[in-house]
Amino acid sequence: MTDTTLQLEDAAIGLDADAPTAWSAATWFAVISLAATSFALVSAEFLPAGLLTPMARDLGISEGTAGQVVTATASVGAVTAMLSNVLIGRLNRKTVLVGLMALAVASNILAALAPNFWLLLLGRAGLGIALSAFWALSVAVVARLVGANATGRGMAIVTLGVSLATIAAPSMGALISDWLGWRSAMAMTAGLALVAMLLQFLSLPTLPASASNSLADVFRLTRRRGIQLGMLAIVLLMTGHFAGSVYVRPFLEHVTLLATGPIALALLGFGIAAVVGNIVGGRLADANIRMALVVTAVLMAFAALALVLWGVHVGAAFALVTLWGLAFGMGPVVLPTNLSRAAPDALEAAGSLMVVSFQVAITIGAVVGGYVVDNYGATAPLTLTAVLAASTALLALLQPRS
């Protein structure tokens, strides 16, 4: 980046763009509190995957209807992402983050105590607000805590909570539900949110608002070529991922002919590799964001296409699912960092666009992936993943060097 850009960024968000690589204990504590926040929020988001059957039975609804608690979280989150940075105005960002976790605590408690489906939906909607507003602010807050040149590293630690929650939440939710009931599992996520809120309160420095965003400011940001390319990269890569990853298990069942036990091991390898991908993605993003995006996309494209070509072989299938997990772990670090580089003077507004892009990608991926697998078979979604990921790599090459 040029000196002018760095000066603009310093003035806009009040950080030292040339901050030293070594972080103080206070900085580590603050960043870890945000990782705990992401773990708590994403655990609550994915928890219903392991609770649908007992939840539906207890509330007297179908499992399909119970599954709409996930839809409620995502749909409310998409709207919140556009409005959150407008509504919070010039409130201190520490106050906002602590308040969001208080909302998450209350929402999870409401979901745990809900006597009917509609109050359960209301609780999940509150979680959607907390989740999306947190992610919309995350890049800007991390940049202020660690400096612009270490944003990738900081986001890698924050998104580590996502990978851990994705692995742990469904299985732990199912186990706790079997032991103590689904309501106890929901209450557990309220406890996680409370711990994260306390960590934020104790560790985050005061974060006065550097700017007050309007909705017009957010939309005006979309005129920048870098923002357009960054949003398109998110939509392409994450649509490809969610269109294909949902159908990795059916692929392993019907093409690789694996039993349930080996499939569980393969998916565990995916999750562990995603954790490693968080760390690798953070390092690459800070070193060269353009190359980091190319590497992430190429790895995902190769893993998906190679599964289609050689996935009948057990060893190859295990290795390629793990490689896919590595690429997926890099994505949530590299993609937001890439987008933020196009708007150093408007990181919060860029954060809103980042969350919207992810939500759109998840929605399109789920719809298109389902259509493709129903009409063209188990390998078709993976082929689509490879095509969209390869397109992302080409798109990354169009971006200016950083």
Side-chain angles (χ1 to χ4, degrees):
M1 290 185 291
T2 65
D3 292 339
T4 302
T5 302
L6 292 177
Q7 292 167 3
L8 178 61
E9 185 172 2
D10 289 345
I13 61 176
L15 56 85
D16 178 9
D18 295 317
T21 302
W23 296 352
S24 67
T27 298
W28 273 107
F29 192 15
V31 174
I32 289 171
S33 77
L34 297 181
T37 300
S38 73
F39 178 79
L41 290 172
V42 176
S43 292
E45 181 183 18
F46 283 100
L47 189 70
L51 305 180
L52 288 185
T53 299
M55 186 189 303
R57 187 187 309 119
D58 185 40
L59 295 175
I61 56 179
S62 69
E63 291 187 8
T65 301
Q68 297 310 306
V69 298
V70 178
T71 305
T73 306
S75 57
V76 171
V79 176
T80 302
M82 288 298 297
L83 299 177
S84 59
N85 288 326
V86 175
L87 297 177
I88 61 177
R90 302 193 66 86
L91 289 175
N92 189 291
R93 279 13 182 185
K94 176 178 179 176
T95 302
V96 173
L97 288 171
V98 172
L100 290 174
M101 292 314 294
L103 174 61
V105 172
S107 298
N108 288 326
I109 290 174
L110 176 59
L113 299 176
N116 58 60
F117 177 65
W118 297 109
L119 282 179
L120 176 63
L121 273 187
L122 181 61
R124 297 295 295 183
L127 175 66
I129 293 172
L131 188 72
S132 289
F134 167 74
W135 286 118
L137 284 171
S138 61
V139 176
V141 170
V142 167
R144 294 177 69 172
L145 291 174
V146 305
N149 65 341
T151 301
R153 181 183 174 196
M155 286 301 297
I157 295 171
V158 174
T159 57
L160 188 62
V162 177
S163 297
L164 294 175
T166 304
I167 297 170
S171 56
M172 289 302 297
L175 288 174
I176 294 174
S177 176
D178 287 343
W179 294 337
L180 302 172
W182 71 269
R183 295 183 185 276
S184 296
M186 283 283 189
M188 174 192 71
T189 60
L192 292 175
L194 179 61
V195 170
M197 183 181 72
L198 292 175
L199 288 176
Q200 284 185 356
F201 180 78
L202 293 173
S203 67
L204 289 178
T206 183
L207 296 167
S210 58
S212 182
N213 301 308
S214 69
L215 198 56
D217 293 331
V218 177
F219 283 115
R220 194 176 297 116
L221 201 59
T222 60
R223 298 176 185 173
R224 299 187 187 182
R225 181 170 178 268
I227 290 292
Q228 293 168 356
L229 292 175
M231 292 178 68
L232 184 56
I234 293 173
V235 171
L236 284 174
L237 191 64
M238 289 295 100
T239 294
H241 170 74
F242 286 105
S245 63
V246 174
Y247 303 101
V248 166
R249 176 168 182 166
F251 178 89
L252 295 175
E253 288 176 340
H254 301 302
V255 178
T256 317
L257 302 179
L258 294 181
T260 302
I263 289 174
L265 286 176
L267 296 179
L268 178 61
F270 179 100
I272 293 173
V275 173
V276 176
N278 288 148
I279 300 169
V280 173
R283 295 291 184 181
L284 286 178
D286 286 335
N288 186 326
I289 188 59
R290 184 170 176 262
M291 186 53 60
L293 183 54
V294 171
V295 170
T296 303
V298 167
L299 287 179
M300 188 178 293
F302 175 77
L305 182 59
L307 268 173
V308 173
L309 297 176
W310 302 303
V312 293
H313 304 291
V314 174
F318 268 81
L320 293 168
V321 168
T322 301
L323 184 62
W324 191 334
L326 179 71
F328 172 64
M330 294 171 67
V333 181
V334 171
L335 290 167
T337 305
N338 177 62
L339 185 67
S340 71
R341 296 293 171 87
D345 55 322
L347 290 180
E348 291 186 2
S352 295
L353 295 174
M354 178 267 291
V355 175
V356 170
S357 299
F358 268 96
Q359 295 288 1
V360 168
I362 292 170
T363 302
I364 295 175
V367 173
V368 174
Y371 172 81
V372 169
V373 77
D374 286 344
N375 289 275
Y376 301 101
T379 62
L382 277 64
T383 304
L384 178 61
T385 299
V387 170
L388 292 178
S391 300
T392 308
L394 293 175
L395 181 71
L397 294 174
L398 296 176
Q399 295 187 167
R401 295 180 183 274
S402 58

